[in-house]
Amino acid sequence: MVHTWDPQRYLTYADERGRPFVELVARVGAEAPRTVVDLGCGPGNLTALLAARWPGARVVGLDSSREMVEAARRDVAGVDFEQADLREWLDTGGEAVDVLVSNATLQWVPGHLDLLPTLLDRVRPGGWLAVQVPGNFDQPSHTLRTELAAEAPYAEHTRDAAVPSSHDPATYLDALARLGAQVDAWETTYLHVLTGEDPVFTWVSATGARPTLQALPDDLRPGFEDELRRRLREAYPPGPAGVVLPFRRVFVVAHKPAPSSEAAR
């Protein structure tokens, strides 16, 4: 089932969504890469940080969403943005890159653990692969949507909607280490303090819940949204600081060793 993305809605909490990207890329040790690729670049606001860090590199942002790519091309200079599906980009082969970043994208690719060898193959020897995925799919922000979507009259419409998933840091570390990479993997749980009316609904409706919402017919969507808002308000009541959304993120940075001088002879 095809769904679309809304760049403006996605950017509602741009600072909160951007912090994991910054912390991920900070662990990439590349000094002067020639080519940097951002797989799943979204509206390009974070890809711009790659161009700022490595001004001598050709920076490319790829996203399957036409809406995201159009927004990126309009708002971000100094980056080449292309509309492309991640799996299709991998299948086409092509020149290897020095830094390959995938931030909050692989969770939408079923069986993405099997893609790690191909992702690492697209990195030059001595290059870097950096991946970040959400790891909070056991939290009410996701489980409440899943439970409601399984109820009548919604289930018949939502059963094929895309649902994100990911693995623990140790799983990614083991998979990439077996491929010969030097791996740094970790997790962080952020406590996002959100404001506004039904802020958790605003957050999830831009990302994890969006495919489910778009799968519903127009006559059912308002009722689903109202009930999901109600359940999320109960799960995330306001406190002294505001509405707190705990958000676990999983990070992995893999350095592909360069051939030793002896091996290269």
PDB file of all heavy atoms in Angstrom, residues 140-141 144 192-196 198-201 228-246:
ATOM      1  N   PRO A 140       3.516   2.916  23.970  1.00  0.00           N
ATOM      2  CA  PRO A 140       2.127   3.237  23.631  1.00  0.00           C
ATOM      3  C   PRO A 140       1.968   4.048  22.351  1.00  0.00           C
ATOM      4  O   PRO A 140       0.945   3.930  21.667  1.00  0.00           O
ATOM      5  CB  PRO A 140       1.634   4.029  24.849  1.00  0.00           C
ATOM      6  CG  PRO A 140       2.483   3.557  25.976  1.00  0.00           C
ATOM      7  CD  PRO A 140       3.831   3.277  25.376  1.00  0.00           C
ATOM      8  N   SER A 141       2.950   4.857  22.018  1.00  0.00           N
ATOM      9  CA  SER A 141       2.855   5.657  20.796  1.00  0.00           C
ATOM     10  C   SER A 141       2.706   4.777  19.566  1.00  0.00           C
ATOM     11  O   SER A 141       2.187   5.222  18.536  1.00  0.00           O
ATOM     12  CB  SER A 141       4.084   6.555  20.657  1.00  0.00           C
ATOM     13  OG  SER A 141       5.276   5.788  20.707  1.00  0.00           O
ATOM     14  N   LEU A 144      -0.710   1.520  20.792  1.00  0.00           N
ATOM     15  CA  LEU A 144      -2.101   1.977  20.784  1.00  0.00           C
ATOM     16  C   LEU A 144      -2.636   2.079  19.363  1.00  0.00           C
ATOM     17  O   LEU A 144      -3.787   1.738  19.094  1.00  0.00           O
ATOM     18  CB  LEU A 144      -2.210   3.327  21.492  1.00  0.00           C
ATOM     19  CG  LEU A 144      -1.982   3.301  23.010  1.00  0.00           C
ATOM     20  CD1 LEU A 144      -2.027   4.709  23.578  1.00  0.00           C
ATOM     21  CD2 LEU A 144      -3.005   2.405  23.696  1.00  0.00           C
ATOM     22  N   HIS A 192      11.574  13.597  25.204  1.00  0.00           N
ATOM     23  CA  HIS A 192      11.142  14.787  24.484  1.00  0.00           C
ATOM     24  C   HIS A 192       9.986  15.451  25.226  1.00  0.00           C
ATOM     25  O   HIS A 192       8.967  14.811  25.495  1.00  0.00           O
ATOM     26  CB  HIS A 192      10.693  14.419  23.068  1.00  0.00           C
ATOM     27  CG  HIS A 192      11.789  13.861  22.216  1.00  0.00           C
ATOM     28  ND1 HIS A 192      13.001  14.486  22.057  1.00  0.00           N
ATOM     29  CD2 HIS A 192      11.851  12.725  21.456  1.00  0.00           C
ATOM     30  CE1 HIS A 192      13.769  13.780  21.255  1.00  0.00           C
ATOM     31  NE2 HIS A 192      13.097  12.704  20.867  1.00  0.00           N
ATOM     32  N   VAL A 193      10.145  16.701  25.531  1.00  0.00           N
ATOM     33  CA  VAL A 193       9.089  17.482  26.178  1.00  0.00           C
ATOM     34  C   VAL A 193       8.321  18.207  25.079  1.00  0.00           C
ATOM     35  O   VAL A 193       8.851  19.112  24.421  1.00  0.00           O
ATOM     36  CB  VAL A 193       9.662  18.476  27.194  1.00  0.00           C
ATOM     37  CG1 VAL A 193       8.527  19.281  27.834  1.00  0.00           C
ATOM     38  CG2 VAL A 193      10.463  17.739  28.266  1.00  0.00           C
ATOM     39  N   LEU A 194       7.069  17.806  24.878  1.00  0.00           N
ATOM     40  CA  LEU A 194       6.272  18.308  23.764  1.00  0.00           C
ATOM     41  C   LEU A 194       5.196  19.269  24.263  1.00  0.00           C
ATOM     42  O   LEU A 194       4.668  19.116  25.371  1.00  0.00           O
ATOM     43  CB  LEU A 194       5.610  17.141  23.023  1.00  0.00           C
ATOM     44  CG  LEU A 194       6.535  16.001  22.575  1.00  0.00           C
ATOM     45  CD1 LEU A 194       5.729  14.946  21.833  1.00  0.00           C
ATOM     46  CD2 LEU A 194       7.674  16.520  21.710  1.00  0.00           C
ATOM     47  N   THR A 195       4.863  20.224  23.440  1.00  0.00           N
ATOM     48  CA  THR A 195       3.821  21.192  23.778  1.00  0.00           C
ATOM     49  C   THR A 195       2.786  21.213  22.661  1.00  0.00           C
ATOM     50  O   THR A 195       2.957  20.635  21.601  1.00  0.00           O
ATOM     51  CB  THR A 195       4.419  22.596  23.956  1.00  0.00           C
ATOM     52  OG1 THR A 195       5.079  22.989  22.748  1.00  0.00           O
ATOM     53  CG2 THR A 195       5.421  22.616  25.108  1.00  0.00           C
ATOM     54  N   GLY A 196       1.704  21.905  22.920  1.00  0.00           N
ATOM     55  CA  GLY A 196       0.632  22.004  21.939  1.00  0.00           C
ATOM     56  C   GLY A 196      -0.485  21.024  22.225  1.00  0.00           C
ATOM     57  O   GLY A 196      -0.418  20.213  23.161  1.00  0.00           O
ATOM     58  N   ASP A 198      -2.599  17.805  21.851  1.00  0.00           N
ATOM     59  CA  ASP A 198      -2.369  16.411  21.444  1.00  0.00           C
ATOM     60  C   ASP A 198      -1.010  16.257  20.748  1.00  0.00           C
ATOM     61  O   ASP A 198      -0.921  15.802  19.602  1.00  0.00           O
ATOM     62  CB  ASP A 198      -3.486  15.930  20.515  1.00  0.00           C
ATOM     63  CG  ASP A 198      -4.825  15.830  21.223  1.00  0.00           C
ATOM     64  OD1 ASP A 198      -4.833  15.512  22.437  1.00  0.00           O
ATOM     65  OD2 ASP A 198      -5.856  16.060  20.572  1.00  0.00           O
ATOM     66  N   PRO A 199       0.076  16.621  21.438  1.00  0.00           N
ATOM     67  CA  PRO A 199       1.374  16.647  20.755  1.00  0.00           C
ATOM     68  C   PRO A 199       1.885  15.268  20.343  1.00  0.00           C
ATOM     69  O   PRO A 199       2.588  15.159  19.327  1.00  0.00           O
ATOM     70  CB  PRO A 199       2.301  17.296  21.786  1.00  0.00           C
ATOM     71  CG  PRO A 199       1.665  16.991  23.110  1.00  0.00           C
ATOM     72  CD  PRO A 199       0.189  17.051  22.839  1.00  0.00           C
ATOM     73  N   VAL A 200       1.549  14.220  21.101  1.00  0.00           N
ATOM     74  CA  VAL A 200       2.025  12.894  20.710  1.00  0.00           C
ATOM     75  C   VAL A 200       1.327  12.442  19.437  1.00  0.00           C
ATOM     76  O   VAL A 200       1.940  11.830  18.550  1.00  0.00           O
ATOM     77  CB  VAL A 200       1.837  11.868  21.848  1.00  0.00           C
ATOM     78  CG1 VAL A 200       2.305  10.479  21.415  1.00  0.00           C
ATOM     79  CG2 VAL A 200       2.604  12.313  23.097  1.00  0.00           C
ATOM     80  N   PHE A 201       0.051  12.759  19.321  1.00  0.00           N
ATOM     81  CA  PHE A 201      -0.651  12.455  18.067  1.00  0.00           C
ATOM     82  C   PHE A 201      -0.019  13.221  16.910  1.00  0.00           C
ATOM     83  O   PHE A 201       0.168  12.669  15.815  1.00  0.00           O
ATOM     84  CB  PHE A 201      -2.133  12.794  18.171  1.00  0.00           C
ATOM     85  CG  PHE A 201      -2.870  12.584  16.873  1.00  0.00           C
ATOM     86  CD1 PHE A 201      -3.320  11.320  16.513  1.00  0.00           C
ATOM     87  CD2 PHE A 201      -3.086  13.639  15.991  1.00  0.00           C
ATOM     88  CE1 PHE A 201      -3.975  11.116  15.299  1.00  0.00           C
ATOM     89  CE2 PHE A 201      -3.739  13.442  14.785  1.00  0.00           C
ATOM     90  CZ  PHE A 201      -4.179  12.177  14.440  1.00  0.00           C
ATOM     91  N   LEU A 228      -7.723   7.657  18.683  1.00  0.00           N
ATOM     92  CA  LEU A 228      -6.281   7.546  18.925  1.00  0.00           C
ATOM     93  C   LEU A 228      -5.789   8.729  19.745  1.00  0.00           C
ATOM     94  O   LEU A 228      -4.957   8.555  20.656  1.00  0.00           O
ATOM     95  CB  LEU A 228      -5.524   7.462  17.593  1.00  0.00           C
ATOM     96  CG  LEU A 228      -4.005   7.271  17.686  1.00  0.00           C
ATOM     97  CD1 LEU A 228      -3.651   6.028  18.494  1.00  0.00           C
ATOM     98  CD2 LEU A 228      -3.382   7.208  16.296  1.00  0.00           C
ATOM     99  N   ARG A 229      -6.299   9.908  19.457  1.00  0.00           N
ATOM    100  CA  ARG A 229      -5.944  11.079  20.272  1.00  0.00           C
ATOM    101  C   ARG A 229      -6.304  10.835  21.737  1.00  0.00           C
ATOM    102  O   ARG A 229      -5.506  11.110  22.644  1.00  0.00           O
ATOM    103  CB  ARG A 229      -6.685  12.323  19.773  1.00  0.00           C
ATOM    104  CG  ARG A 229      -6.199  12.890  18.465  1.00  0.00           C
ATOM    105  CD  ARG A 229      -7.101  14.043  18.042  1.00  0.00           C
ATOM    106  NE  ARG A 229      -6.825  14.533  16.722  1.00  0.00           N
ATOM    107  CZ  ARG A 229      -5.963  15.491  16.419  1.00  0.00           C
ATOM    108  NH1 ARG A 229      -5.305  16.080  17.406  1.00  0.00           N
ATOM    109  NH2 ARG A 229      -5.775  15.879  15.174  1.00  0.00           N
ATOM    110  N   ARG A 230      -7.508  10.311  21.980  1.00  0.00           N
ATOM    111  CA  ARG A 230      -7.963  10.088  23.349  1.00  0.00           C
ATOM    112  C   ARG A 230      -7.060   9.097  24.068  1.00  0.00           C
ATOM    113  O   ARG A 230      -6.646   9.326  25.217  1.00  0.00           O
ATOM    114  CB  ARG A 230      -9.407   9.573  23.338  1.00  0.00           C
ATOM    115  CG  ARG A 230     -10.017   9.426  24.725  1.00  0.00           C
ATOM    116  CD  ARG A 230     -11.334   8.701  24.676  1.00  0.00           C
ATOM    117  NE  ARG A 230     -11.167   7.287  24.316  1.00  0.00           N
ATOM    118  CZ  ARG A 230     -10.747   6.355  25.186  1.00  0.00           C
ATOM    119  NH1 ARG A 230     -10.466   6.668  26.432  1.00  0.00           N
ATOM    120  NH2 ARG A 230     -10.632   5.100  24.776  1.00  0.00           N
ATOM    121  N   ARG A 231      -6.728   7.989  23.408  1.00  0.00           N
ATOM    122  CA  ARG A 231      -5.895   6.973  24.039  1.00  0.00           C
ATOM    123  C   ARG A 231      -4.479   7.489  24.297  1.00  0.00           C
ATOM    124  O   ARG A 231      -3.869   7.173  25.327  1.00  0.00           O
ATOM    125  CB  ARG A 231      -5.863   5.713  23.169  1.00  0.00           C
ATOM    126  CG  ARG A 231      -7.224   5.047  23.018  1.00  0.00           C
ATOM    127  CD  ARG A 231      -7.130   3.717  22.269  1.00  0.00           C
ATOM    128  NE  ARG A 231      -8.461   3.181  21.972  1.00  0.00           N
ATOM    129  CZ  ARG A 231      -8.688   1.960  21.490  1.00  0.00           C
ATOM    130  NH1 ARG A 231      -7.658   1.143  21.231  1.00  0.00           N
ATOM    131  NH2 ARG A 231      -9.917   1.550  21.249  1.00  0.00           N
ATOM    132  N   LEU A 232      -3.967   8.283  23.369  1.00  0.00           N
ATOM    133  CA  LEU A 232      -2.627   8.835  23.565  1.00  0.00           C
ATOM    134  C   LEU A 232      -2.607   9.859  24.693  1.00  0.00           C
ATOM    135  O   LEU A 232      -1.621   9.943  25.448  1.00  0.00           O
ATOM    136  CB  LEU A 232      -2.124   9.470  22.265  1.00  0.00           C
ATOM    137  CG  LEU A 232      -1.766   8.494  21.145  1.00  0.00           C
ATOM    138  CD1 LEU A 232      -1.514   9.244  19.841  1.00  0.00           C
ATOM    139  CD2 LEU A 232      -0.543   7.653  21.512  1.00  0.00           C
ATOM    140  N   ARG A 233      -3.673  10.637  24.840  1.00  0.00           N
ATOM    141  CA  ARG A 233      -3.734  11.583  25.959  1.00  0.00           C
ATOM    142  C   ARG A 233      -3.697  10.843  27.289  1.00  0.00           C
ATOM    143  O   ARG A 233      -3.065  11.304  28.253  1.00  0.00           O
ATOM    144  CB  ARG A 233      -5.004  12.436  25.869  1.00  0.00           C
ATOM    145  CG  ARG A 233      -4.947  13.542  24.834  1.00  0.00           C
ATOM    146  CD  ARG A 233      -6.055  14.566  25.063  1.00  0.00           C
ATOM    147  NE  ARG A 233      -7.384  13.985  24.932  1.00  0.00           N
ATOM    148  CZ  ARG A 233      -8.090  13.959  23.805  1.00  0.00           C
ATOM    149  NH1 ARG A 233      -7.571  14.491  22.697  1.00  0.00           N
ATOM    150  NH2 ARG A 233      -9.299  13.440  23.765  1.00  0.00           N
ATOM    151  N   GLU A 234      -4.378   9.704  27.371  1.00  0.00           N
ATOM    152  CA  GLU A 234      -4.366   8.921  28.603  1.00  0.00           C
ATOM    153  C   GLU A 234      -2.980   8.333  28.868  1.00  0.00           C
ATOM    154  O   GLU A 234      -2.533   8.272  30.014  1.00  0.00           O
ATOM    155  CB  GLU A 234      -5.396   7.794  28.520  1.00  0.00           C
ATOM    156  CG  GLU A 234      -6.840   8.256  28.587  1.00  0.00           C
ATOM    157  CD  GLU A 234      -7.806   7.091  28.627  1.00  0.00           C
ATOM    158  OE1 GLU A 234      -7.346   5.922  28.545  1.00  0.00           O
ATOM    159  OE2 GLU A 234      -9.026   7.336  28.756  1.00  0.00           O
ATOM    160  N   ALA A 235      -2.308   7.899  27.809  1.00  0.00           N
ATOM    161  CA  ALA A 235      -0.997   7.270  27.972  1.00  0.00           C
ATOM    162  C   ALA A 235       0.100   8.290  28.258  1.00  0.00           C
ATOM    163  O   ALA A 235       1.105   7.960  28.909  1.00  0.00           O
ATOM    164  CB  ALA A 235      -0.650   6.471  26.724  1.00  0.00           C
ATOM    165  N   TYR A 236      -0.082   9.514  27.768  1.00  0.00           N
ATOM    166  CA  TYR A 236       0.942  10.557  27.926  1.00  0.00           C
ATOM    167  C   TYR A 236       0.303  11.817  28.520  1.00  0.00           C
ATOM    168  O   TYR A 236       0.150  12.831  27.824  1.00  0.00           O
ATOM    169  CB  TYR A 236       1.592  10.876  26.578  1.00  0.00           C
ATOM    170  CG  TYR A 236       2.298   9.698  25.944  1.00  0.00           C
ATOM    171  CD1 TYR A 236       1.642   8.903  24.992  1.00  0.00           C
ATOM    172  CD2 TYR A 236       3.606   9.374  26.285  1.00  0.00           C
ATOM    173  CE1 TYR A 236       2.287   7.822  24.403  1.00  0.00           C
ATOM    174  CE2 TYR A 236       4.254   8.288  25.706  1.00  0.00           C
ATOM    175  CZ  TYR A 236       3.584   7.514  24.770  1.00  0.00           C
ATOM    176  OH  TYR A 236       4.213   6.442  24.190  1.00  0.00           O
ATOM    177  N   PRO A 237      -0.064  11.774  29.802  1.00  0.00           N
ATOM    178  CA  PRO A 237      -0.673  12.954  30.429  1.00  0.00           C
ATOM    179  C   PRO A 237       0.378  14.045  30.650  1.00  0.00           C
ATOM    180  O   PRO A 237       1.565  13.757  30.811  1.00  0.00           O
ATOM    181  CB  PRO A 237      -1.183  12.411  31.764  1.00  0.00           C
ATOM    182  CG  PRO A 237      -0.251  11.271  32.075  1.00  0.00           C
ATOM    183  CD  PRO A 237       0.075  10.650  30.747  1.00  0.00           C
ATOM    184  N   PRO A 238      -0.051  15.290  30.633  1.00  0.00           N
ATOM    185  CA  PRO A 238       0.907  16.374  30.889  1.00  0.00           C
ATOM    186  C   PRO A 238       1.414  16.341  32.322  1.00  0.00           C
ATOM    187  O   PRO A 238       0.676  16.009  33.247  1.00  0.00           O
ATOM    188  CB  PRO A 238       0.091  17.640  30.606  1.00  0.00           C
ATOM    189  CG  PRO A 238      -1.341  17.226  30.759  1.00  0.00           C
ATOM    190  CD  PRO A 238      -1.400  15.787  30.342  1.00  0.00           C
ATOM    191  N   GLY A 239       2.686  16.664  32.496  1.00  0.00           N
ATOM    192  CA  GLY A 239       3.298  16.766  33.813  1.00  0.00           C
ATOM    193  C   GLY A 239       3.823  18.170  34.026  1.00  0.00           C
ATOM    194  O   GLY A 239       3.516  19.087  33.250  1.00  0.00           O
ATOM    195  N   PRO A 240       4.649  18.359  35.048  1.00  0.00           N
ATOM    196  CA  PRO A 240       5.167  19.707  35.333  1.00  0.00           C
ATOM    197  C   PRO A 240       5.940  20.316  34.177  1.00  0.00           C
ATOM    198  O   PRO A 240       5.930  21.531  33.975  1.00  0.00           O
ATOM    199  CB  PRO A 240       6.092  19.470  36.545  1.00  0.00           C
ATOM    200  CG  PRO A 240       5.591  18.214  37.172  1.00  0.00           C
ATOM    201  CD  PRO A 240       5.063  17.372  36.054  1.00  0.00           C
ATOM    202  N   ALA A 241       6.631  19.469  33.391  1.00  0.00           N
ATOM    203  CA  ALA A 241       7.424  19.986  32.274  1.00  0.00           C
ATOM    204  C   ALA A 241       6.628  20.077  30.990  1.00  0.00           C
ATOM    205  O   ALA A 241       7.039  20.749  30.046  1.00  0.00           O
ATOM    206  CB  ALA A 241       8.645  19.099  32.052  1.00  0.00           C
ATOM    207  N   GLY A 242       5.497  19.396  30.928  1.00  0.00           N
ATOM    208  CA  GLY A 242       4.727  19.277  29.702  1.00  0.00           C
ATOM    209  C   GLY A 242       4.457  17.816  29.417  1.00  0.00           C
ATOM    210  O   GLY A 242       4.544  16.970  30.312  1.00  0.00           O
ATOM    211  N   VAL A 243       4.137  17.487  28.203  1.00  0.00           N
ATOM    212  CA  VAL A 243       3.925  16.094  27.807  1.00  0.00           C
ATOM    213  C   VAL A 243       5.277  15.493  27.449  1.00  0.00           C
ATOM    214  O   VAL A 243       5.970  15.985  26.557  1.00  0.00           O
ATOM    215  CB  VAL A 243       2.959  15.989  26.613  1.00  0.00           C
ATOM    216  CG1 VAL A 243       2.865  14.542  26.125  1.00  0.00           C
ATOM    217  CG2 VAL A 243       1.577  16.516  26.996  1.00  0.00           C
ATOM    218  N   VAL A 244       5.656  14.444  28.156  1.00  0.00           N
ATOM    219  CA  VAL A 244       6.967  13.819  27.943  1.00  0.00           C
ATOM    220  C   VAL A 244       6.792  12.566  27.090  1.00  0.00           C
ATOM    221  O   VAL A 244       6.020  11.668  27.429  1.00  0.00           O
ATOM    222  CB  VAL A 244       7.641  13.462  29.282  1.00  0.00           C
ATOM    223  CG1 VAL A 244       8.972  12.748  29.032  1.00  0.00           C
ATOM    224  CG2 VAL A 244       7.850  14.721  30.115  1.00  0.00           C
ATOM    225  N   LEU A 245       7.523  12.524  25.971  1.00  0.00           N
ATOM    226  CA  LEU A 245       7.517  11.373  25.083  1.00  0.00           C
ATOM    227  C   LEU A 245       8.876  10.681  25.159  1.00  0.00           C
ATOM    228  O   LEU A 245       9.849  11.159  24.573  1.00  0.00           O
ATOM    229  CB  LEU A 245       7.238  11.804  23.636  1.00  0.00           C
ATOM    230  CG  LEU A 245       7.339  10.699  22.574  1.00  0.00           C
ATOM    231  CD1 LEU A 245       6.247   9.646  22.763  1.00  0.00           C
ATOM    232  CD2 LEU A 245       7.268  11.298  21.164  1.00  0.00           C
ATOM    233  N   PRO A 246       8.984   9.559  25.886  1.00  0.00           N
ATOM    234  CA  PRO A 246      10.250   8.812  25.863  1.00  0.00           C
ATOM    235  C   PRO A 246      10.446   8.188  24.484  1.00  0.00           C
ATOM    236  O   PRO A 246       9.521   7.606  23.923  1.00  0.00           O
ATOM    237  CB  PRO A 246      10.048   7.729  26.936  1.00  0.00           C
ATOM    238  CG  PRO A 246       8.882   8.196  27.750  1.00  0.00           C
ATOM    239  CD  PRO A 246       8.011   8.950  26.802  1.00  0.00           C
TER     240      PRO A 246
END
